[in-house]
Amino acid sequence: MFYDRTIRLADTDAAGVIYFASLLSICHEAYEACLEKTGISLQPFLKDASCAIPIVHAEIDFQRPIYYGDQIRITVTPQFLSETEFESEYLITKISEPETFALAKTRHVCIDPQKRRRMPLPTSIMAWLDTKN
Amino acid sequence: MFYDRTIRLADTDAAGVIYFASLLSICHEAYEACLEKTGISLQPFLKDASCAIPIVHAEIDFQRPIYYGDQIRITVTPQFLSETEFESEYLITKISEPETFALAKTRHVCIDPQKRRRMPLPTSIMAWLDTKN
Amino acid sequence: MFYDRTIRLADTDAAGVIYFASLLSICHEAYEACLEKTGISLQPFLKDASCAIPIVHAEIDFQRPIYYGDQIRITVTPQFLSETEFESEYLITKISEPETFALAKTRHVCIDPQKRRRMPLPTSIMAWLDTKN
Amino acid sequence: MFYDRTIRLADTDAAGVIYFASLLSICHEAYEACLEKTGISLQPFLKDASCAIPIVHAEIDFQRPIYYGDQIRITVTPQFLSETEFESEYLITKISEPETFALAKTRHVCIDPQKRRRMPLPTSIMAWLDTKN
């Protein structure tokens, strides 16, 4: 699954490149867009839900600079880790170039938001994790 | 009431100045900080509250460029408009310079979030609107 | 010209709706996307250019709440104001609903960034302003 | 060195907590503020400088939820890695609670932005890395 995105002015900073945290934000956009393509919305997992899926870890490695107007492609690869946890990997290239520009990862756990205790991932997310492309 | 703030990298864009919408965001920070100084938190008016205070109008005029590292001062002047509505004005200067760099305004209405119907402003906000400095 | 956009988690706030300044940011995305469709990039007008096109005024009116996952359509209407100035209007609806959710406007002037003095709009922008759909 | 910060509406999302990438942004604010306390501005290292210090890696671990209005303290610990590279660690607690809420890290390299090749860190940054508190 991939998500194409043009770098907008709001994504950049005065160093003339993408602001580092904005690329993680765009990776999350890609994650949301990929869930949507398989019919899953995060809406039921937001505030006051019986089940939330917060991020417990995120990381990103930058290999080449990304500038205003660049058309990037984010390839999203979700991975099952355990009954309560999964990871999503993000390969950032340009649409027109095969080189890796950045690599990112987010790890998500399923919790009961009232008790702040882990619980099994919802079946919709489990089905998405089984999708292999 | 005023709020001092240094312009951070995240506030800027590749044009080398503050991103226009970021300054409105910083004005809202100033509004939140001023409410806090008088003991008011927006927390009770967030999601699933019996009373919400959404912004119905915002505007900003830029008079001089604001750069990375600039230390700005935002003077916040709230104004009562009606039983259900108030405005907040923002004068943006630098800490060290009297000239106006920007002027902004936000208009807020009090609503019942379930019925999406106007209701009287909460007494805490009314008290804040009475504060004249 | 229009631009379709899904509201992402990063666009929302703890009130459960779109953060007010984020919608202005998304309007600017729409402006950038519309320029691109007619072959214009803002890249030459960014830092250290001989000509910059900063925003001198922005405003937005919210008429209906916009939530996470909403698919919005932004119809962009640019308007010539003078040799050195133009405005862009934004009508925000949902893709599936004709009602107006918000209305926004940005005003841009062309300046010589070194002298901070007005200069005539570049021909590419003038051509875009002539585009009537 | 530490930096205190109140969580603002713009930092949160519709899940009712801080948006994950916003906390990395706030860590960068803390890094900028700590540099400033020792008299260093990032301004000379921004666009068109002879020396840039981009982030090549960032990571964050979330241990407890952070909500709107929370007053957090970010303790910044810079660390020399090599002549061309340093790391900055961020311990996120609340001002009023000793427990760790999150831990983050950014890794920065010094490059010649034209040649995109590594070069020694500037002396100002080297001096900051020697500061041990």
Side-chain angles (χ1 to χ4, degrees):
Chain A
M1 283 175 290
F2 64 85
Y3 175 72
D4 289 344
R5 174 72 148 70
T6 303
I7 302 307
R8 300 296 175 197
L9 201 55
D11 305 317
T12 63
D13 65 31
V17 291
I18 197 170
Y19 181 66
F20 84 109
S22 295
L23 191 51
L24 271 170
S25 223
I26 295 173
C27 286
H28 201 276
E29 268 183 48
Y31 157 66
E32 295 175 53
C34 288
L35 282 175
E36 264 171 26
K37 275 182 208 165
T38 47
I40 305 165
S41 166
L42 288 183
Q43 182 64 56
F45 309 119
L46 298 182
K47 216 179 164 187
D48 302 310
S50 59
C51 151
I53 316 174
I55 287 175
V56 288
H57 175 80
E59 62 178 84
I60 188 158
D61 285 282
F62 294 89
Q63 299 185 0
R64 285 176 171 77
I66 299 175
Y67 298 101
Y68 175 75
D70 282 355
Q71 295 183 299
I72 63 171
R73 170 158 298 175
I74 302 184
T75 305
V76 180
T77 310
Q79 195 169 345
F80 173 88
L81 291 182
S82 79
E83 200 197 31
T84 61
E85 196 168 357
F86 71 93
E87 224 168 58
S88 189
E89 288 188 2
Y90 310 90
L91 166 68
I92 296 103
T93 57
K94 288 198 190 165
I95 294 180
S96 56
E97 292 174 52
E99 286 89 2
T100 301
F101 277 72
L103 280 167
K105 203 184 274 190
T106 52
R107 192 153 62 242
H108 308 245
V109 296
C110 187
I111 59 162
D112 176 321
Q114 264 70 52
K115 304 180 189 155
R116 307 288 325 168
R117 206 183 296 161
R118 289 195 177 209
M119 56 181 284
L121 288 162
T123 50
S124 60
I125 296 289
M126 287 297 285
W128 179 64
L129 295 173
D130 274 339
T131 320
K132 277 292 163 256
N133 61 321
Chain B
M1 280 175 291
F2 64 84
Y3 174 73
D4 289 343
R5 174 73 148 71
T6 303
I7 303 306
R8 300 296 175 197
L9 200 55
D11 304 316
T12 63
D13 66 28
V17 291
I18 197 170
Y19 181 66
F20 84 110
S22 296
L23 191 51
L24 272 171
S25 224
I26 294 173
C27 287
H28 201 275
E29 269 181 48
Y31 157 67
E32 295 174 53
C34 289
L35 283 175
E36 266 170 24
K37 275 182 208 166
T38 46
I40 305 165
S41 166
L42 287 183
Q43 182 64 57
F45 309 119
L46 299 182
K47 216 180 166 187
D48 301 311
S50 58
C51 152
I53 315 173
I55 287 174
V56 289
H57 175 79
E59 62 180 82
I60 188 159
D61 285 283
F62 294 89
Q63 299 184 2
R64 283 174 172 79
I66 299 174
Y67 298 101
Y68 175 76
D70 282 355
Q71 294 183 299
I72 63 171
R73 169 159 298 176
I74 303 184
T75 305
V76 181
T77 310
Q79 194 169 347
F80 173 87
L81 291 183
S82 80
E83 200 197 31
T84 60
E85 196 168 355
F86 71 95
E87 224 168 57
S88 190
E89 288 188 2
Y90 311 90
L91 167 67
I92 297 103
T93 57
K94 287 197 190 168
I95 295 180
S96 56
E97 292 175 52
E99 287 90 1
T100 301
F101 277 73
L103 281 167
K105 202 183 275 190
T106 52
R107 193 155 62 243
H108 308 244
V109 296
C110 187
I111 60 163
D112 176 321
Q114 264 70 55
K115 303 180 189 158
R116 308 286 327 165
R117 207 183 296 162
R118 288 191 178 214
M119 56 181 283
L121 288 162
T123 51
S124 59
I125 297 287
M126 287 297 286
W128 179 64
L129 296 173
D130 274 339
T131 320
K132 275 292 163 256
N133 60 322
Chain C
M1 281 175 290
F2 64 84
Y3 174 73
D4 289 343
R5 174 73 146 70
T6 303
I7 303 307
R8 300 297 175 196
L9 200 55
D11 305 317
T12 63
D13 65 29
V17 291
I18 198 170
Y19 181 66
F20 84 109
S22 296
L23 191 51
L24 272 171
S25 222
I26 295 173
C27 287
H28 202 276
E29 268 182 48
Y31 158 67
E32 296 175 53
C34 289
L35 282 175
E36 264 170 25
K37 274 183 208 164
T38 47
I40 305 165
S41 167
L42 288 183
Q43 182 64 56
F45 309 118
L46 298 182
K47 216 180 164 185
D48 302 309
S50 58
C51 152
I53 315 172
I55 288 175
V56 289
H57 175 79
E59 62 179 82
I60 188 158
D61 285 282
F62 294 89
Q63 299 184 1
R64 286 175 170 77
I66 300 175
Y67 298 101
Y68 175 75
D70 282 355
Q71 295 183 299
I72 63 172
R73 169 159 299 176
I74 302 185
T75 304
V76 180
T77 310
Q79 195 169 345
F80 173 88
L81 291 183
S82 80
E83 200 197 32
T84 60
E85 196 168 356
F86 70 95
E87 223 168 58
S88 189
E89 288 187 3
Y90 311 91
L91 167 68
I92 297 102
T93 58
K94 288 198 190 166
I95 295 180
S96 56
E97 291 175 51
E99 287 89 2
T100 301
F101 278 73
L103 280 167
K105 202 183 276 190
T106 52
R107 193 154 63 243
H108 309 244
V109 297
C110 187
I111 59 163
D112 176 321
Q114 263 70 54
K115 304 179 189 157
R116 307 287 327 164
R117 206 182 298 159
R118 288 194 178 211
M119 55 181 283
L121 288 162
T123 51
S124 60
I125 297 287
M126 286 297 285
W128 178 64
L129 296 173
D130 274 339
T131 321
K132 276 292 162 256
N133 61 322
Chain D
M1 282 175 289
F2 63 85
Y3 175 73
D4 289 343
R5 173 73 149 71
T6 303
I7 302 307
R8 300 295 175 199
L9 200 55
D11 305 317
T12 62
D13 66 30
V17 291
I18 197 170
Y19 181 65
F20 83 109
S22 296
L23 191 51
L24 271 170
S25 224
I26 295 172
C27 287
H28 201 275
E29 269 182 49
Y31 157 67
E32 296 175 53
C34 289
L35 282 176
E36 265 170 24
K37 273 182 211 166
T38 46
I40 304 165
S41 166
L42 287 184
Q43 182 64 57
F45 309 119
L46 298 182
K47 216 178 164 190
D48 301 311
S50 58
C51 152
I53 316 173
I55 288 175
V56 289
H57 175 80
E59 61 180 83
I60 189 158
D61 284 281
F62 294 89
Q63 299 184 1
R64 284 175 171 77
I66 299 174
Y67 298 100
Y68 175 75
D70 282 354
Q71 295 184 299
I72 63 171
R73 169 158 298 177
I74 303 185
T75 305
V76 180
T77 310
Q79 194 170 346
F80 173 88
L81 292 182
S82 79
E83 200 198 31
T84 60
E85 196 168 356
F86 70 95
E87 223 168 59
S88 190
E89 287 187 4
Y90 310 91
L91 167 68
I92 297 102
T93 57
K94 287 197 191 166
I95 294 179
S96 56
E97 291 175 53
E99 286 89 2
T100 301
F101 277 72
L103 280 167
K105 201 183 275 189
T106 52
R107 193 154 60 242
H108 308 245
V109 296
C110 186
I111 60 162
D112 176 321
Q114 265 69 54
K115 304 181 188 157
R116 306 287 325 164
R117 206 184 296 161
R118 289 192 177 211
M119 55 182 283
L121 289 162
T123 51
S124 60
I125 297 288
M126 285 298 285
W128 179 63
L129 296 173
D130 274 339
T131 321
K132 276 293 164 254
N133 60 322

